[in-house]
Amino acid sequence: MRITSVELKNFRNYSQLYQDFYPGAQILYGNNAQGKTNILEAIYLCTCARSHRTGRDAELVQQGKSDYDVRVKFVTDKNLEEEIRIHYLMPVSNDPLRTRPIRHIYYNGVRLERVSDMMGIFNAVIFAPEDLQIIKDGPSARRRFLDLLISQIYPSYFRDISQYQHLLIQRNNLLKKLRQKNANTEVNNSYNLHLQVWDEQIARCATRIIMRRQKVTDEICRLANDSILQIAGAKEKLSIRYRSSVSIANTMDAEEFNHIFLNRLQEQTNDDIIRGNTSVGPHRDDLILSLNEIEVRPYASQGQQRSVALALKLAELLLLRQKTGENPVLLLDDVMSELDSDRRYRLLQTIEGHQSFLTCTDLSQVLIDSDKESLSGFVGEYNLFEVNQAHITRVDTIFK
Ligand code: ATP
Ligand code: MG
């Protein structure tokens, strides 16, 4: 798919923007803090209603304003013209209709009821300095990576995740009630019955989530190994393993795993009551990344961590392409400057055939070498845009 235009209102440093985009590479260049990343962020937002930089929508609203509006028009590879629009309104004091934040998502002008309904409609993969968080941060960063990727491929998975979170809150509330010392035995019994009902629902939902994550992890592992070899030329063997708080064997079917999960949940009940929360389940799981059997997070060098992050994102791209049959839009925020010219060359080769958005402060960062002709040689068509204080100017492609 490819974006034909982006429209912003009160988004980050943009009060108002309308910009057309074209096939091939869109190179956004300009000094620091002009609004390059903000454009990529707005585009990525239209894949899953979440920024790659923050989970807080209010930060995206231009300071001093109370709502943002983002529209991305795109053409699919099947030649359908579509549009995703996200309109977010912050709560406003003294307005009884605006006591809570409101987020409206529209697909071709029709309002979608749930975020899950937008999953898989517009696909983009972002490569950004924040990718390192997948490696360096705690397990939740890796779960988010996995969950957002799977949701773009299987929208029903996102509904499972939402349902699971809802069930977990109910169970944890009940556990806290059970913990209260003054709960008498009679009340306890009825609470226990309730708990059983939640447990059965949780187990079914958790089974779907864990089995799907397990399968996709295996596919990512295979694709990331190919990518790391191709891009980084690294000879290390990358292993990616899904570590579940309830261990699962590849040979298990859903019924079997559901049974094991439910037993595990029930075994933990007494401990869970003391803690007041649920100690096993997909919300506790992690991805374990290792290079040559050595875990990446604590031991790998900065450069190795970067290569693994890049390999994970390339695996995401390949998997999305395979499963959806669409070429996702690629967003490359400042990634070129960190790669040597060999790796830049190989990365640009990989993204050929996609519409891509590349940001840089200096055009020399996206050129392969001093021979300026080579840019058009590697990425096919390209367009240059200068970004200056939230204004974008299309520049004549001086190197063509
Ligand atoms: P760099 O080359 O340093 O990465 P950039 O061009 O990518 O720069 P952006 O991250 O897009 O810069 O940010 C541009 C500007 O947007 C910054 O000056 C920042 O202060 C401003 N900004 C961020 N959030 C808001 C907001 N909510 N309201 C107003 N301005 C904002
Ligand atoms: Mg930036």
Side-chain angles (χ1 to χ4, degrees):
M1 51 183 66
R2 103 183 142 79
I3 293 175
T4 51
S5 71
V6 172
E7 207 175 332
L8 307 178
K9 200 191 104 201
N10 299 341
F11 184 86
R12 295 279 197 189
N13 66 337
Y14 290 90
S15 306
Q16 198 87 44
L17 173 86
Y18 178 91
Q19 183 63 51
D20 290 319
F21 290 107
Y22 307 91
Q26 325 294 307
I27 300 168
L28 307 171
Y29 71 94
N31 292 337
N32 294 130
Q34 302 302 309
K36 302 181 296 295
T37 301
N38 294 346
I39 295 279
L40 268 52
E41 187 177 38
I43 294 174
Y44 181 74
L45 193 71
C46 290
T47 65
C48 61
R50 190 189 191 284
S51 154
H52 71 291
R53 292 200 279 197
T54 177
R56 286 181 292 273
D57 267 305
E59 283 175 22
L60 307 178
V61 177
Q62 188 169 42
Q63 268 165 31
K65 303 289 169 49
S66 67
D67 70 321
Y68 74 67
D69 206 335
V70 172
R71 279 170 205 257
V72 167
K73 284 200 170 74
F74 58 100
V75 185
T76 66
D77 293 344
K78 296 181 188 70
N79 229 5
L80 299 171
E81 287 180 25
E82 310 203 326
E83 183 194 85
I84 288 281
R85 173 184 171 208
I86 302 183
H87 185 203
Y88 171 82
L89 301 98
M90 273 161 60
V92 174
S93 51
N94 303 329
D95 185 342
L97 296 174
R98 298 270 299 269
T99 53
R100 292 157 154 265
I102 302 168
R103 184 173 52 193
H104 292 320
I105 302 171
Y106 300 85
Y107 174 41
N108 298 338
V110 178
R111 212 176 110 198
L112 301 178
E113 259 179 60
R114 292 170 298 248
V115 181
S116 63
D117 296 337
M118 85 180 293
M119 291 293 167
I121 292 177
F122 171 68
N123 291 328
V125 177
I126 190 159
F127 296 76
E130 287 78 9
D131 294 344
L132 262 187
Q133 290 170 358
I134 304 172
I135 315 285
K136 289 187 162 177
D137 285 6
S140 65
R142 285 176 288 283
R143 289 196 299 267
R144 191 181 318 123
F145 165 72
L146 205 51
D147 287 347
L148 286 176
L149 167 57
I150 303 175
S151 300
Q152 287 194 62
I153 302 171
Y154 306 101
S156 65
Y157 177 83
F158 190 84
R159 285 194 288 279
D160 284 336
I161 291 283
S162 312
Q163 191 195 355
Y164 180 78
Q165 278 160 354
H166 170 76
L167 291 169
L168 199 61
I169 291 170
Q170 308 293 323
R171 185 178 197 264
N172 288 345
N173 285 342
L174 202 52
L175 291 169
K176 289 190 183 81
K177 283 186 188 154
L178 282 164
R179 191 170 56 178
Q180 282 172 1
K181 283 199 187 76
N182 54 4
N184 63 42
T185 342
E186 204 178 312
V187 174
N188 244 334
N189 277 340
S190 82
Y191 276 157
N192 277 329
L193 278 176
H194 270 120
L195 201 58
Q196 215 175 334
V197 175
W198 290 126
D199 285 0
E200 277 163 19
Q201 291 193 52
I202 284 184
R204 272 197 295 278
C205 201
T207 299
R208 287 197 295 274
I209 293 171
I210 293 174
M211 293 195 93
R212 180 66 78 190
R213 282 186 182 170
Q214 174 101 22
K215 269 211 186 85
V216 172
T217 303
D218 290 347
E219 294 184 82
I220 292 174
C221 181
R222 193 170 38 77
L223 294 169
N225 261 297
D226 295 346
S227 305
I228 203 165
L229 193 71
Q230 194 191 345
I231 294 290
K235 287 164 203 71
E236 289 110 326
K237 186 176 164 4
L238 174 63
S239 116
I240 308 173
R241 197 167 49 79
Y242 184 72
R243 187 176 67 194
S244 173
S245 47
V246 177
S247 42
I248 172 171
N250 273 335
T251 48
M252 277 182 201
D253 64 16
E255 247 343 279
E256 235 175 314
F257 185 70
N258 184 64
H259 183 70
I260 291 174
F261 189 93
L262 190 58
N263 278 346
R264 205 40 223 292
L265 205 55
Q266 287 169 348
E267 267 166 34
Q268 288 297 120
T269 303
N270 286 338
D271 284 352
D272 284 358
I273 291 171
I274 295 166
R275 297 153 51 112
N277 65 42
T278 304
S279 54
V280 293
H283 64 294
R284 296 272 159 165
D285 295 355
D286 199 355
L287 279 183
I288 307 298
L289 306 157
S290 319
L291 271 179
N292 285 342
E293 316 292 323
I294 297 167
E295 207 182 321
V296 173
R297 182 152 87 118
Y299 301 112
S301 75
Q302 189 79 2
Q304 284 175 317
Q305 295 189 350
R306 273 213 205 103
S307 299
V308 173
L310 189 59
L312 283 177
K313 298 302 287 196
L314 285 168
E316 174 181 346
L317 161 65
L318 295 171
L319 201 61
L320 267 178
R321 201 156 72 183
Q322 247 177 38
K323 301 279 183 188
T324 64
E326 283 275 335
N327 278 337
V329 172
L330 302 186
L331 310 168
L332 290 93
D333 190 20
D334 250 345
V335 278
M336 290 304 191
S337 60
E338 289 177 359
L339 302 173
D340 55 35
S341 66
D342 255 13
R343 288 177 192 199
R344 258 185 249 169
Y345 169 80
R346 279 179 279 188
L347 183 60
L348 287 182
Q349 273 188 324
T350 312
I351 67 176
E352 214 178 329
H354 294 254
Q355 188 192 36
S356 56
F357 290 73
L358 293 87
T359 69
C360 58
T361 45
D362 187 337
L363 277 178
S364 66
Q365 292 163 348
V366 294
L367 300 172
I368 301 306
D369 52 35
S370 53
D371 173 14
K372 295 184 163 59
E373 291 294 324
S374 53
L375 180 67
S376 63
F378 292 130
V379 291
E381 251 175 294
Y382 69 93
N383 302 276
L384 296 176
F385 301 88
E386 186 178 359
V387 184
N388 187 358
Q389 296 189 9
H391 288 282
I392 303 188
T393 318
R394 188 170 177 208
V395 179
D396 266 346
T397 48
I398 40 181
F399 304 132
K400 270 185 179 166

